[in-house]
Amino acid sequence: MQVISLRLDEDVAPAELPQRLSPFLSPDVGLCVAKRPPGSFHAQWSASGKEYRYRLTLGAPPSEAWRPYALDVPADATLQGGRAVTPERLEALLARAVGTRDFTAFHERSSPQKARTLASATLRERGGGLYEACLEGDGFARYQVRYLVGSALKVAAGLLSEEQWHAALDAGTSLAGFKAPAHGLVLWEVRYPSAVDPFGPGERLHPPGLPDSPPFT
């Protein structure tokens, strides 16, 4: 549910856009649906919230289908030398990050330092050792999700202390965190106020044409 908005020089029916634009897209980019939104809609400035999901495996290595899209935690070099990460421990650490604060210890300095609300941070099991860390909030700074998930993994592995984790969250104290690799991350959904949302509840529950598992074609 990544959303873009654009203006066209000619009047084209939204249903025609996916077919007309697809030949110009990179092979790893897919266009699921096109709709005409309310006149005041803007894909970026109208957004009221986002959900990111970070996929990782604990224990068993990822299947070949999932390998390009999930972090293999036990095999990651940054996490070597620590204890095994349990889902219960990781979820508890992520839940501790929920709230409104300046996540300054968990994002690049190029992003503005301001209060952001992390509404929820949960860990869902998908089977076969695959998990999704699901983070929802009103907005995220650059690399914030990758730093939060990666640093929580480092604490869960005993390579950073829990006291350092608390200080980084509560006081913005810098820590030797871990920016989790990009290949496990996906911007799952961008949300808008109902008055301007181009998508209905049913489309958000089951986005048309959006694959849920590899090969994501």
Side-chain angles (χ1 to χ4, degrees):
M1 294 293 282
Q2 169 70 282
V3 184
I4 64 170
S5 53
L6 68 158
R7 298 182 182 275
L8 302 176
D9 292 332
E10 57 180 303
D11 189 18
V12 179
E16 298 177 15
L17 278 178
Q19 184 176 2
R20 292 183 62 171
L21 291 177
S22 290
F24 303 99
L25 299 177
S26 168
D28 59 355
V29 176
L31 183 59
C32 295
V33 62
K35 305 189 73 172
R36 194 181 303 277
S40 59
F41 175 82
H42 188 283
Q44 180 178 1
W45 305 122
S46 300
S48 58
K50 296 179 180 179
E51 178 183 351
Y52 282 92
R53 297 187 182 184
Y54 194 93
R55 291 153 175 166
L56 51 94
T57 55
L58 302 174
S63 66
E64 286 305 311
W66 273 104
R67 190 174 298 279
Y69 313 109
L71 172 64
D72 185 353
V73 171
D76 189 89
T78 303
L79 301 172
Q80 295 299 303
R83 57 176 175 259
V85 176
T86 66
E88 295 80 12
R89 175 73 169 146
L90 179 58
E91 183 165 41
L93 289 166
L94 290 173
R96 175 65 174 79
V98 170
T100 301
R101 54 172 58 89
D102 183 348
F103 290 89
T104 185
F106 299 96
H107 65 73
E108 297 288 306
R109 292 293 182 264
S110 57
S111 290
Q113 294 189 21
K114 64 178 184 178
R116 295 176 173 89
T117 298
L118 181 63
S120 67
T122 58
L123 191 67
R124 301 174 187 170
E125 185 175 6
R126 295 196 54 141
L130 179 69
Y131 291 82
E132 281 184 337
C134 305
L135 286 78
E136 301 181 44
D138 59 355
F140 294 84
R142 191 179 190 194
Y143 303 140
Q144 181 182 331
V145 174
R146 290 170 61 186
Y147 275 118
L148 279 170
V149 172
S151 300
L153 284 168
K154 205 169 177 181
V155 176
L159 300 173
L160 283 175
S161 71
E162 192 163 341
E163 289 73 23
Q164 289 174 296
W165 174 251
H166 294 326
L169 289 169
D170 296 337
T173 305
S174 63
L175 77 171
F178 170 37
K179 183 168 70 173
H183 68 272
L185 181 67
V186 61
L187 172 57
W188 185 256
E189 188 172 16
V190 181
R191 301 191 176 106
Y192 301 96
S194 58
V196 296
D197 193 350
F199 308 101
E203 290 174 312
R204 288 200 166 274
L205 188 62
H206 300 291
L210 185 65
D212 188 47
S213 59
F216 299 116
T217 53

